[in-house]
């Protein structure tokens, strides 16, 4: 760990009023600026990471035999559907829920330690190695599925650890690369990949499963992640001063600023959240550069919008009745409006304590992930009781409420969460009709 000069240790961080005064002279990063390219690289790294995370919720449909006996932990059905390209396993809804939420357990364990370590060790090595490990584990998921559900769970937990490392450590990048007037733009652009990744995965996974088999989904996303991790190692440097491709003007701009500061329907919510996250970053920076609102007011405004609007749309679902269009609209808006948090609570620790940004992000993500951790596992347990006939009528609605209240409202974009466990962990075949009657 590098020792900081005494003058830097004693220098107090700028006040919010000073930050307001300095933000008005900022301008948007140029199209050819290195920091914008870095934000795009992080954007695609996040897309790859979240694609690896989200694809399991759809591949589970092809992996699991919903009509066969579901007592054995990992038994391939002898039906003709079990071809080499699409092996099928008899996993109960309880097992499916645990498998779907297993990566969240890994992410839960990594948040605070990674937040602390990101302030000590090079972010280049942490993000690049973690993304590479996550991609290699994605390549191993089909092999692990042949061994048993427990092997898949172990693989996904390890993948969650590596993905949690990427999720938290990347925030430290902007303590050295983002001028104050561009924090919203650069951060929202990079973090918006967290919303685009599930959207892309849900759009592409079904096509790949049908054409090439579900194992190919993990091979494609794993190979893409390996390629991006290689690009990360080649193109990224922790300090702008040491980057061989940065222009003198951009280096001076960043240095001077830092010295002063020290399925289509399934994909719609993530897609709109991605777009709104980028828009929120630009609008928030516009408020600051035009001195329309203070830094504090901007962060409070976008945090309030990102937390209250999703709650309003989720509660509205209970009063819509059977309206398909209304349900899709509310679900899309409930997820999309989470994007406002990108310009609010997500980057607020960077304003308050940039030196400890990584650690603070680890703590906040740890708290925000509890909803996602609970929802997928609990959904699998409840639906397993529904399948066995030991659950009260309305069990499906209970899962819906649990999933959206814990996952949708407990976090904002980039704060972790589950991967849609109740999207797949539901009865199929003959059990589906009985489930719908009870619900």
């Amino acid at each position: 760990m590098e020792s900081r000069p005494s003058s830097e240790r004693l220098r107090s961080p700028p006040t919010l009023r000073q930050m307001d005064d300095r933000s008005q002279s900022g301008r948007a990063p140029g199209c050819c600026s290195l920091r914008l390219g870095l934000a795009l690289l992080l954007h695609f790294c996040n897309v790859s990471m979240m694609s690896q995370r989200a694809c399991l919720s759809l591949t589970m449909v092809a992996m699991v035999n919903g009509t066969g006996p579901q007592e054995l932990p990992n038994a391939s059905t002898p039906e003709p559907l079990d071809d080499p390209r699409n092996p099928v396993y008899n996993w109960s809804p309880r097992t499916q829920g645990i498998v779907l939420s297993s990566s969240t357990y890994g992410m839960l364990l990594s948040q605070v330690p990674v937040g602390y370590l990101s302030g000590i060790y090079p972010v280049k090595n942490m993000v690049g190695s973690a993304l590479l490990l996550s991609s290699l584990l994605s390549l191993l998921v089909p092999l692990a599925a042949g061994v048993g559900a427990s092997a898949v769970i172990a693989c996904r937990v390890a993948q969650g650890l590596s993905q949690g490392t990427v999720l938290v450590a990347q925030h430290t990048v902007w303590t050295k690369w983002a001028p104050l007037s561009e924090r919203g733009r650069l951060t929202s652009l990079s973090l918006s990949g967290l919303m685009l990744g599930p959207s892309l995965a849900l759009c592409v996974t079904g096509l790949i499963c049908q054409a090439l088999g579900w194992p190919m989904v993990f091979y494609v996303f794993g190979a893409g992640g390996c390629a991006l991790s290689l690009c990360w190692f080649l193109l990224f440097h922790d300090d702008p001063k040491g980057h061989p491709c940065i222009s003198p003007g951009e280096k001076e701009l960043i240095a001077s600023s830092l010295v002063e500061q020290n399925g289509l329907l399934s994909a719609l919510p993530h897609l709109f959240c991605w777009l709104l996250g980028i828009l929120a970053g630009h609008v928030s920076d516009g408020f600051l550069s035009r001195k329309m609102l203070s830094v504090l007011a901007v962060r409070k405004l976008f945090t309030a919008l990102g937390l209250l609007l999703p709650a309003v749309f989720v509660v509205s679902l209970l009063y819509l009745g059977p309206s398909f269009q209304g349900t899709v609209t509310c679900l899309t808006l409930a997820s999309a409006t989470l994007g406002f948090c990108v310009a609010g609570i997500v980057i607020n620790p960077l304003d308050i304590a940039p030196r400890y940004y990584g650690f603070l992000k680890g703590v906040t993500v740890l708290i925000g992930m509890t909803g996602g951790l609970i929802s997928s596992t609990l959904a699998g347990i409840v639906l397993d009781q529904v399948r066995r006939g030991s659950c009260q009528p309305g069990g499906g609605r209970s899962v819906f409420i649990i999933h959206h209240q814990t996952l949708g409202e407990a976090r904002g974009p980039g704060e972790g969460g589950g991967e849609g466990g109740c999207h797949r962990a539901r009865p199929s075949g003959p059990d589906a009709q009985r489930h719908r009657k009870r619900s």
Side-chain angles (χ1 to χ4, degrees):
M1 180 176 178
E2 297 180 355
S3 60
R4 295 183 172 90
S6 58
S7 60
E8 181 179 346
R9 293 197 301 267
L10 296 175
R11 184 183 299 117
S12 59
T15 64
L16 291 179
R17 183 177 297 277
Q18 291 173 330
M19 295 166 70
D20 292 336
D21 295 336
R22 293 168 183 170
S23 64
Q24 63 177 336
S25 60
R27 55 186 177 85
C31 296
C32 298
S33 66
L34 191 61
R35 59 192 184 280
L36 180 60
L38 172 61
L40 287 173
L41 178 59
L42 263 178
H43 174 89
F44 289 114
C45 288
N46 285 327
V47 168
S48 176
M49 179 184 70
M50 294 306 295
S51 297
Q52 296 170 15
R53 179 175 170 81
C55 65
L56 185 63
S57 61
L58 279 186
T59 56
M60 187 71 76
V61 178
M63 293 171 66
V64 175
N65 176 26
T67 60
Q70 297 181 338
E71 284 79 17
L72 298 178
N74 189 66
S76 295
T77 176
E79 298 177 8
L81 291 175
D82 190 10
D83 59 59
R85 293 193 312 169
N86 282 293
V88 180
Y89 307 102
N90 293 324
W91 293 344
S92 68
R94 181 190 299 268
T95 301
Q96 296 173 46
I98 296 174
V99 170
L100 286 167
S101 62
S102 55
S103 62
T104 306
Y105 287 93
M107 295 188 74
L108 185 70
L109 297 174
S110 64
Q111 301 305 304
V112 174
V114 171
Y116 175 75
L117 295 175
S118 63
I120 301 176
Y121 297 102
V123 179
K124 176 179 181 177
N125 296 339
M126 293 184 67
V127 173
S129 301
L131 180 60
L132 179 60
L133 177 60
S134 174
S135 303
L136 293 176
L137 289 170
S138 179
L139 297 174
L140 293 176
V141 168
L143 180 62
V147 175
S150 58
V152 177
I153 292 172
C155 188
R156 293 287 289 182
V157 169
Q159 198 172 24
L161 284 169
S162 58
Q163 291 173 351
T165 301
V166 176
L167 182 65
V168 175
Q170 65 175 289
H171 294 286
T172 311
V173 169
W174 302 119
T175 62
K176 292 185 177 181
W177 278 93
L180 173 62
S181 60
E182 299 174 7
R183 282 179 179 174
R185 295 181 179 92
L186 296 174
T187 304
S188 63
L189 178 58
S190 60
L191 291 181
S192 62
L194 299 174
M195 287 74 85
L196 180 61
S199 175
L200 177 64
L202 294 171
C203 287
V204 175
T205 295
L207 300 176
I208 298 178
C209 285
Q210 185 177 11
L212 303 173
W214 67 259
M216 190 59 64
V217 174
F218 296 96
Y219 297 147
V220 170
F221 290 137
C226 290
L228 281 170
S229 64
L230 178 61
C231 293
W232 176 265
F233 281 118
L234 293 176
L235 300 177
F236 177 74
H237 285 67
D238 288 284
D239 197 325
K241 297 178 182 178
H243 203 292
C245 299
I246 192 170
S247 64
E250 184 176 7
K251 183 187 298 185
E252 181 180 358
L253 172 64
I254 296 176
S256 61
S257 174
L258 293 180
V259 167
E260 292 179 357
Q261 303 163 30
N262 198 38
L264 184 59
L265 289 180
S266 299
L268 275 179
H270 303 285
L271 180 62
F272 278 91
C273 189
W274 167 64
L275 294 172
L276 193 57
I278 296 177
L279 178 63
H282 283 74
V283 172
S284 66
D285 284 352
F287 285 154
L288 294 176
S289 62
R290 292 170 175 81
K291 301 193 70 175
M292 298 173 63
L293 294 172
S294 66
V295 174
L296 184 60
V298 168
R299 301 300 181 236
K300 286 183 176 181
L301 172 63
F302 283 91
T303 298
L305 292 174
L307 296 180
L308 295 178
L309 290 179
V312 170
F313 290 119
V314 168
V315 172
S316 300
L317 289 169
L318 301 176
Y319 304 97
L320 289 178
S323 172
F324 174 78
Q325 292 83 0
T327 300
V328 172
T329 300
C330 281
L331 285 175
T332 301
L333 291 176
S335 181
T337 48
L338 284 169
F340 284 119
C341 288
V342 171
I345 194 172
V346 173
I347 61 173
N348 185 236
L350 183 58
D351 300 326
I352 300 173
R355 184 178 301 179
Y356 305 104
Y357 186 41
F359 177 75
L360 292 175
K361 287 303 299 181
V363 173
T364 57
V365 171
L366 173 64
I367 298 173
M369 284 176 55
T370 55
L373 175 66
I374 295 171
S375 63
S376 295
T377 303
L378 195 56
I381 294 174
V382 172
L383 288 175
D384 191 52
Q385 298 299 320
V386 171
R387 182 182 65 85
R388 297 174 184 273
S390 58
C391 184
Q392 295 292 333
R397 176 175 295 182
S398 299
V399 170
F400 174 81
I401 295 175
I402 290 170
H403 179 74
H404 286 88
Q405 293 295 330
T406 58
L407 174 60
E409 298 183 29
R411 65 175 177 89
E415 299 296 303
E419 50 199 294
C422 77
H423 174 80
R424 169 61 190 100
R426 61 181 185 272
S428 56
D431 292 326
Q433 185 175 2
R434 293 196 299 271
H435 168 65
R436 286 192 293 269
K437 289 180 179 178
R438 291 192 183 97
S439 300

